[in-house]
Structure formats: C-alpha cells, structure tokens
Amino acid sequence: MWSLGVTLGRILIEQQDQAREGNGEFTMLLSQIATAAKIISNEMRRAGLAGLTGSTGEVNVQGEVVKKLDQLTNSVFVQVMEDSRLVCQVVSEEMEEALNVGGNCAGRQYSVLVDPLDGSSNADINGVTGTIFSVYRRLDPTAEGTSGEDLLRKGSEQVAAGYVMYGPSTILVYTSGEGVNGFTLEPSVGEFILSHQDIRMPTRGTMYAINHGNRAHWFPSTEKLVDHFSQLDDSTHRPYSQRWVGSLTADFHRILLEGGLYLYPGDKRRPCGKLRLLYECAPLAWVAEQAGGKASTGKERILDIQPTELHQRVPLIIGSQEDVAMAERFLQKEIAATET
Ligand code: AHG
Ligand code: MN
Ligand code: MN
C-alpha cells in the first residue's frame, strides 16, 4: 500500500538530482503538466453532462475528425504551458504548426510536445482516453526566437516523457531518466499520490494488442506474426490473448504493468502506420525502455529515429523485451523482402 503522504510533488523534488534534467524549473514544469492533467481529468468526468461530447465538424491536420474534447483538452494544455512561463514552443496533434508560447523565448529552457487527447474515439462513450507528453531541453535556452531544430529531435534526447490515463481513476506515469513511477489522482484532495513505484515491465507477456480490422491491408509478415500469437505452445504460453481498447495510452498501460506487446505496424495502405513519432511513439518508447521494455518500428529503435516532420508517422511495436524482439524477427523478413 502506498502512503497518502508520498505525492508527485515530493517525488519530483527527491528525484531532482537523479533526473536527466535536475533543476527547479524542470520540476516546476512537470508539476504544471500534472496541473493540466488534473484540469483535463475534471473536464473528462463532466463531459457527458456538459455537452462536451461529439465532433466540432472540423478535420485536423492529420485528416481526422476533430472532437470537441480534442479542442478543449488542447486549449487547456496550451494555456497551462503558456502560464508556466517555462516553455518556448508547444507542438500538438491538434495544431498544424508549433505554437510559440514563450515570447522571444530567451531564457525559456523547454519545448513540450503533446497528444492532448489520445484515444479520442473513446471520448463519446465514456471510454478510457489519455494525454501523452514529451519534453525536450532547447538546444540553446538563451537564444531568442524559435527554431525547428529544437523540435525535430531524436527521442533519445527527451528529458521527460509520460502519459496520463483517464479511466476509472486518473493515473500519471512518467520518466525523467531514473526509472518509471505512476501516480494515482486522489480527487478529493487533488493530489497525485505515488501508487506504482519503479515500474518494471515483464520481459515477456501473454497478451497482444493490434487492430484486426486492418487485416486486409497487412503485409504477409504481420499475418504470420498474428497467426503465431494464436498457435498452441505451452512453453511460450501461447495462444496469447488479444486486447484492443482503441486508446494507445490504455493499451500501453496494460502492457507496461502486465507484459505483452502493442502493434500499429505499417501496412499496404499506410506503410508508416498510423501513430505519430513525436508525441505518441517517442514518449512511450522512453517510458517502455526505462521500465525494461523495448520499442521499435520493426526495423529500428524508435528513440534513434531522426524526425523530419512534426506530425511524422512511424510503425510502432512496443512492449516486453522478448515479445518485441520476436515481432521484429517476423517483420524484418518483410522489410528485407520489400527493400530488395
Ligand atoms: P488519437 O485519438 O490521438 O488520434 O489516437 C488514436 C490512436 C491510438 O490511441 C489508438 O491505439 C489508435 O489510434 C486506434 O486506432 P484504430 O482506429 O485503428 O483502432
Ligand atoms: Mn493519439
Ligand atoms: Mn489525440
């Protein structure tokens, strides 16, 4: 059992010296992200009664229908980042361009990238959703003006990454390079309390998550891999069970705690998959690795990819070390075949 006294605020201060970034401004920024999470959590809880469900009628830069809650959560997150006075630019799934929230930015140390509402198709049915975030230190925090180079960075350069899951309870999970901790929001006092200390992902699981509805578009290697999951083999605990919440945050959270793997591979229709590198794949990849797991496109480590565009998509295979390595062995055969 955890103690109500061990709050996110206390852990942030205790870990200030161990984090990749260890300073008061960084601690304040993470605490501001937690504030955004509390506000969004509250909005999600009252959405059904407050007329906040449904679409705006617009389509975003990704070509996806914009939900009212996509817009609301984006506005909340951006406003809290602006008010923090710690951030130069915010990149969001819901905004075509990076938004400058830091004036001339001189002295602003950080850039933040966010998927404000992940799994938004669940929002209208009171299903589980999330917020995924990633923090980078600006290449030159004293520089005036903004630079694209501050944003198109490899995931291996992140200084904080994590997610908030809005489920039966609201849980914030993050890393700043010293392992992974999870905090559950105690709504009556508005505090995130340490509930999952030093999370370690099982090296192998018995569950896989993939959208089978895409089967007609899959490459043959993906079909073979999924067939492999459903074969009988006691020694590897197959068949695996299949799970699909439709929210990466929720599917990843299950795998982080219980093991297995999540896949959104490239397919014939979308060779780069569906998920976005900078604010979905890279932050969760760092969380996975910090918990002893693995994240890959099937071909390369997610954290080693040099981004070329803000909303770039990449295939994602993430989860337990051995399960992801096994998936890579299947998928690499396909990659080798298409490259020759
Ligand atoms: P978002 O709501 O931010 O656009 O992300 C949705 C993503 C991810 O959360 C989820 O795992 C996946 O899309 C679901 O895709 P399908 O529509 O193929 O189920
Ligand atoms: Mn998403
Ligand atoms: Mn989203």
Side-chain angles (χ1 to χ4, degrees):
M1 256 326 262
W2 57 90
S3 158
L4 279 176
V6 187
T7 61
L8 173 64
R10 180 177 145 191
I11 297 288
L12 284 173
I13 289 166
E14 273 184 18
Q15 289 189 335
Q16 200 160 287
D17 296 335
Q18 300 150 34
R20 202 174 259 187
E21 277 285 292
N23 63 63
E25 290 200 3
F26 178 70
T27 299
M28 274 199 291
L29 175 55
L30 288 184
S31 135
Q32 290 298 109
I33 289 173
T35 299
K38 288 178 203 173
I39 298 171
I40 292 172
S41 174
N42 196 42
E43 299 289 358
M44 297 307 290
R45 277 196 295 124
R46 60 187 205 95
L49 292 174
L52 294 172
T53 54
S55 304
T56 62
E58 292 162 39
V59 172
N60 71 10
V61 58
Q62 323 279 333
E64 289 162 0
V65 171
V66 179
K67 304 269 183 188
K68 290 182 200 166
L69 282 165
D70 281 321
Q71 264 184 359
L72 176 71
T73 54
N74 186 58
S75 308
V76 167
F77 199 91
V78 165
Q79 188 65 55
V80 174
M81 290 302 99
E82 189 167 352
D83 291 346
S84 77
R85 301 185 184 180
L86 300 165
V87 174
C88 172
Q89 294 182 88
V90 176
V91 170
S92 163
E93 180 191 343
E94 300 305 327
M95 303 187 300
E96 186 165 0
E97 309 282 348
L99 183 71
N100 178 359
V101 294
N104 76 11
C105 281
R108 299 290 178 103
Q109 300 198 52
Y110 300 105
S111 305
V112 178
L113 300 93
V114 69
D115 177 356
L117 187 63
D118 175 59
S120 57
S121 69
N122 287 352
D124 291 348
I125 51 100
N126 195 27
V128 180
T129 54
T131 297
I132 307 174
F133 61 89
S134 167
V135 180
Y136 289 84
R137 181 181 179 76
R138 293 178 70 214
L139 292 168
D140 177 4
T142 63
E144 289 192 9
T146 57
S147 111
E149 288 177 349
D150 274 332
L151 304 171
L152 296 177
R153 309 264 291 277
K154 292 183 180 178
S156 55
E157 294 177 45
Q158 292 172 101
V159 294
Y163 60 89
V164 186
M165 186 176 82
Y166 311 104
S169 51
T170 294
I171 294 185
L172 185 154
V173 174
Y174 84 98
T175 186
S176 47
E178 68 313 293
V180 180
N181 288 313
F183 301 81
T184 300
L185 183 62
E186 167 50 87
S188 60
V189 292
E191 286 278 8
F192 278 107
I193 309 291
L194 181 66
S195 51
H196 301 73
Q197 190 165 7
D198 193 18
I199 299 171
R200 303 302 298 165
M201 198 185 295
T203 53
R204 182 168 208 143
T206 55
M207 278 177 284
Y208 73 100
I210 192 167
N211 182 351
H212 276 257
N214 292 330
R215 187 158 197 137
H217 304 293
W218 287 349
F219 293 124
S221 59
T222 307
E223 289 195 47
K224 284 183 196 142
L225 173 63
V226 171
D227 285 347
H228 178 78
F229 292 142
S230 47
Q231 282 160 5
L232 274 170
D233 178 34
D234 287 346
S235 67
T236 53
H237 304 288
R238 285 179 291 146
Y240 282 12
S241 289
Q242 195 261 340
R243 299 281 185 273
W244 189 253
V245 178
S247 157
L248 171 62
T249 307
D251 282 311
F252 176 75
H253 186 69
R254 180 201 303 277
I255 286 161
L256 180 68
L257 299 184
E258 299 185 343
L261 75 173
Y262 171 104
L263 307 99
Y264 219 115
D267 61 26
K268 293 175 209 156
R269 182 181 46 164
R270 287 190 291 213
C272 294
K274 177 181 181 187
L275 301 175
R276 281 57 56 112
L277 172 60
L278 285 171
Y279 42 79
E280 292 180 314
C281 304
L284 297 189
W286 197 29
V287 172
E289 288 199 6
Q290 283 285 312
K294 188 169 164 70
S296 162
T297 61
K299 182 182 186 180
E300 64 179 318
R301 181 181 176 231
I302 294 286
L303 295 182
D304 286 340
I305 301 172
Q306 173 61 57
T308 53
E309 291 169 36
L310 289 182
H311 300 288
Q312 180 174 349
R313 297 175 197 258
V314 291
L316 178 67
I317 297 101
I318 189 167
S320 295
Q321 273 279 348
E322 292 179 15
D323 287 316
V324 174
M326 183 260 293
E328 281 180 325
R329 289 195 289 279
F330 276 82
L331 299 177
Q332 276 169 10
K333 284 182 201 148
E334 184 67 42
I335 289 162
T338 52
E339 282 180 353
T340 51

